[in-house]
Amino acid sequence: MKKRDVVKNIELFRDLRVGGEPSATWIRDTRAVLLARVAEQGVVSRAAQPVTMRSLLAGVMYNMPRSLRTSAVFTAALLVMFTGWIGGVAAAYNTVPGDTLYPLKRASERAQLALAGDQDARARLQVEFVGRRVDEITKIVETPAVSGDGDRLEEAVSQLRNNMRGVEVSLATLRQQSPGAAVRVAQLVGQKADEYHAVLAHANTPALGSESAVQEAKNIVVDASVKAVAVIIEEHTSGVGSVSEKEVATTVGEKIQAVSDRVDSLEEVRADAIPHSAQESATQAKVALSEAKTLVEKQDLSGALVKVIEGKELVKAAERITVAAIEASNALPFGMSASGTTGIVSIGVTSSSFPTTVSSTTPAVIEDPAPASSSVPTSVIAP
Amino acid sequence: MSNPLYEKLLLHRIRTSGDPEAFGKLYDLYIQRIYRFVYFKVPSTEEAQDVTSDTFLRLWQFLQAGNVVQYIGALLYEIARNTIIDHQRRHRPTESIDEEFALEIPDASGLAKIHRSAEVAEVLAAVRLLKDEYREVLVMRYVDGLSASEIGVLLKKSPGAIRVILHRALETVRTLLEPAKEK
């Protein structure tokens, strides 16, 4: 046989099973099994990290042959010199809404989301971005007040809400695709939301009007935290999640404690400024949380979570009433008090935007409450 | 042939965010080549499948450990080679390659569709008898369609050395086929 014929025959191997061509079914099945295993290992071994333009370039350089690195560095240096773009992206990461480079930061985040390979990565990125919005909010409220701070805060809170909604959408999709991965993301959301809430709770808010913005941000992360627990419980109940009964009970217990802490801080720190209606809400919240504890002991975790949500909504209402009263008080001339008066309405919170009651019945688990800035119980305006 | 920049971006996604989907794309790029590479070194299809999937799992663990990767293709072949060695240590072959091959030839429904099926079977048998280095280069060049330079990168040899190996491998196949013809 001629050399040319040998080559032609060898080339035919690629179409033959006996020539080493794997079956399409095996390729597909192995891919699914491998990805499930690596997804499991990946979540354990590392949390999602933000992808910045700097890290992207670093990644390419890191994987580049040494012989090419010198020329690559030179090329990158030229790029920096002539465009300043990379520096711009890096600088943009410390910006807040209203800054010139802030749109660049947001564009970079959108690009990262677009490049995210799956819902799991997307959800983790959104959680990371929520953290950035929290940083932006604290940065704005803690720096000396300048003109336009209200708009900046409003935008930061709005973006925070959008990012958190993105987390929820990704989580919902992930539950359809991979319930196990959804549970792990839900755990991450719960953990991060608590961290973000702590950061916001310790933010110093000297500027007028900033309290309500921070309050709204806190409510957004707390709502997300509770929803995450709901996902964990639901997946646990359906027997899909890998979380044990004890872990779920611990998670619910932590949420009870977190809401209890909010009641305590409300009563202790602002005791002199709490309107009567807020005190009533706080008391009802305590009752709901006490019932939640009892239900946890009875291993009725879903019932306990419902009570946690009830307590959370009551605390939220109490906090809103208190914040509104404080801001009204700050707006009034020295010596006058807004607490327990209708004066609050005059600072921009209209009666039509208030919910009619603070329900003590069990609210739907996943239902979004009305935005905090537009919902204060009617009891505030009652004489 | 693969796109190095695309592979580097996939590697970056795996390294920075442990992205399984990026890993899936790398799998898609290399699964057939790695399977074929393994297939000619182990006695059965089942073992080739086990070793191949184990190779990709090891690749993931290697990347997750934060190790530097210059060229993913070369790394994969190296991992595959080590995985085969480990596999052979654990599982001593119970039947010879010839016996296995004899079992495979009747699975010729695909062969029947090819005009020169008898010739293909003979060449396949001859390639099976080659030493690893010759067989690897032949398969990479004529089945996977890689250039001498690309094979050189994978096997850590110069393109000239690959061309020499290729020439010798083809000559060896021809030599193996000639006595069969004469018979």
Side-chain angles (χ1 to χ4, degrees):
Chain A
M1 194 181 292
K2 290 179 181 174
K3 189 175 170 182
R4 191 178 56 237
D5 295 330
V6 172
V7 169
K8 278 183 182 171
N9 282 303
I10 294 174
E11 284 172 345
L12 291 171
F13 288 4
R14 71 169 68 105
D15 300 320
L16 299 173
R17 189 67 49 79
V18 289
E21 176 66 16
S23 86
T25 310
W26 175 79
I27 291 177
R28 193 182 58 241
D29 293 349
T30 304
R31 188 186 202 275
V33 170
L34 263 176
L35 290 204
R37 287 186 69 177
V38 302
E40 209 167 277
Q41 290 184 9
V43 168
V44 173
S45 62
R46 63 176 65 214
Q49 294 173 16
V51 181
T52 63
M53 186 52 65
R54 179 178 286 180
S55 71
L56 193 66
L57 285 172
V60 173
M61 296 286 283
Y62 173 83
N63 292 302
M64 193 173 278
R66 285 182 195 282
S67 57
L68 293 179
R69 279 186 197 168
T70 309
S71 56
V73 167
F74 181 70
T75 309
L78 281 178
L79 272 173
V80 172
M81 281 171 61
F82 286 108
T83 66
W85 187 62
I86 296 166
V89 171
Y93 278 89
N94 294 317
T95 59
V96 295
D99 289 348
T100 312
L101 291 178
Y102 188 72
L104 189 57
K105 181 182 185 177
R106 296 285 298 142
S108 162
E109 289 177 359
R110 282 193 293 274
Q112 286 179 52
L113 284 173
L115 288 171
D118 56 14
Q119 288 298 338
D120 186 278
R122 197 180 297 269
R124 286 166 189 278
L125 273 176
Q126 294 275 24
V127 173
E128 172 68 28
F129 297 157
V130 167
R132 291 185 192 175
R133 300 296 88 80
V134 167
D135 287 343
E136 288 163 10
I137 291 167
T138 53
K139 207 173 278 182
I140 293 169
V141 299
E142 288 185 343
T143 50
V146 294
S147 159
D149 266 1
D151 293 340
R152 292 148 81 93
L153 265 177
E154 195 178 318
E155 187 181 345
V157 173
S158 169
Q159 298 293 353
L160 170 69
R161 191 182 297 109
N162 288 342
N163 284 135
M164 202 52 105
R165 202 167 288 148
V167 173
E168 288 168 17
V169 169
S170 297
L171 197 52
T173 312
L174 201 55
R175 288 181 73 183
Q176 305 291 326
Q177 296 172 350
S178 170
V183 168
R184 288 189 291 274
V185 170
Q187 286 175 314
L188 176 73
V189 172
Q191 178 200 334
K192 287 288 180 186
D194 289 346
E195 287 174 19
Y196 298 155
H197 186 272
V199 170
L200 289 164
H202 289 95
N204 190 16
T205 53
L208 179 64
S210 60
E211 286 250 19
S212 57
V214 172
Q215 190 57 46
E216 185 172 353
K218 283 198 284 188
N219 288 335
I220 292 169
V221 294
V222 169
D223 287 346
S225 168
V226 172
K227 286 174 187 175
V229 177
V231 169
I232 294 169
I233 291 176
E234 283 177 24
E235 294 298 344
H236 174 72
T237 307
S238 64
V240 177
S242 56
V243 189
S244 68
E245 179 99 16
K246 193 178 173 186
E247 283 177 298
V248 179
T250 306
T251 307
V252 176
E254 285 169 358
K255 292 303 151 201
I256 294 172
Q257 191 55 49
V259 180
S260 297
D261 290 346
R262 288 172 68 186
V263 179
D264 292 345
S265 62
L266 189 69
E267 288 180 336
E268 288 169 12
V269 180
R270 300 288 186 190
D272 58 330
I274 298 180
H276 179 67
S277 52
Q279 287 175 1
E280 277 184 359
S281 290
T283 306
Q284 286 178 30
K286 278 182 175 175
V287 173
L289 294 171
S290 173
E291 289 171 354
K293 281 180 190 170
T294 308
L295 289 168
V296 170
E297 285 164 11
K298 290 179 181 173
Q299 296 187 330
D300 179 2
L301 299 176
S302 299
L305 182 66
V306 168
K307 285 293 170 188
V308 171
I309 293 168
E310 189 181 322
K312 180 202 72 170
E313 289 301 314
L314 287 161
V315 174
K316 193 192 287 182
E319 287 172 344
R320 281 176 184 152
I321 295 165
T322 307
V323 167
I326 291 166
E327 292 188 346
S329 170
N330 289 336
L332 290 171
F334 182 75
M336 292 182 68
S337 169
S339 177
T341 72
T342 56
I344 293 163
V345 177
S346 66
I347 63 169
V349 184
T350 63
S351 61
S352 62
S353 66
F354 298 164
T356 51
T357 57
V358 178
S359 171
S360 63
T361 55
T362 54
V365 173
I366 301 297
E367 280 302 306
D368 249 326
S373 61
S374 63
S375 58
V376 177
T378 46
S379 52
V380 179
I381 57 169
Chain B
M1 181 50 184
S2 54
N3 177 345
L5 183 59
Y6 178 61
E7 288 177 8
K8 284 184 191 305
L9 286 172
L10 291 177
L11 275 176
H12 176 69
R13 277 167 57 183
I14 294 168
R15 200 168 62 82
T16 54
S17 56
D19 183 355
E21 199 47 47
F23 185 71
K25 290 190 168 73
L26 269 185
Y27 170 91
D28 295 339
L29 287 174
Y30 281 97
I31 182 62
Q32 284 172 309
R33 274 187 256 166
I34 295 300
Y35 176 85
R36 199 173 281 122
F37 177 80
V38 174
Y39 176 81
F40 283 106
K41 290 174 182 285
V42 296
S44 70
T45 305
E46 288 73 22
E47 283 170 82
Q49 291 175 346
D50 288 348
V51 170
T52 305
S53 58
D54 200 18
T55 298
F56 279 92
L57 200 57
R58 288 188 186 194
L59 170 69
W60 171 263
Q61 287 159 352
F62 184 87
L63 297 176
Q64 289 292 289
N67 292 302
V68 177
V69 179
Q70 295 293 347
Y71 183 39
I72 189 69
L75 173 67
L76 255 173
Y77 280 102
E78 194 175 333
I79 293 175
R81 195 173 281 118
N82 291 336
T83 309
I84 291 165
I85 292 168
D86 289 349
H87 176 82
Q88 287 168 343
R89 279 185 191 140
R90 285 196 307 270
H91 307 89
R92 294 287 171 201
T94 53
E95 57 192 3
S96 73
I97 287 175
D98 288 345
E99 284 166 348
E100 171 69 16
F101 182 63
L103 288 173
E104 284 181 6
I105 287 299
D107 177 23
S109 57
L111 285 171
K113 296 173 188 170
I114 297 170
H115 183 60
R116 296 181 303 168
S117 58
E119 270 187 9
V120 172
E122 282 175 12
V123 174
L124 187 56
V127 169
R128 280 270 189 184
L129 293 174
L130 292 176
K131 68 176 185 176
D132 282 355
E133 187 180 55
Y134 286 3
R135 191 171 56 233
E136 283 169 14
V137 171
L138 277 181
V139 171
M140 286 180 184
R141 178 70 187 94
Y142 298 117
V143 183
D144 295 335
L146 305 183
S147 69
S149 304
E150 289 164 344
I151 300 169
V153 172
L154 298 176
L155 300 183
K156 296 173 184 171
K157 293 183 188 296
S158 70
I162 296 298
R163 278 189 280 272
V164 171
I165 294 170
L166 204 54
H167 173 75
R168 288 177 182 165
L170 283 172
E171 285 305 312
T172 309
V173 172
R174 285 184 64 200
T175 308
L176 286 167
L177 290 172
E178 286 312 315
K181 285 283 178 190
E182 284 168 12
K183 285 171 193 175

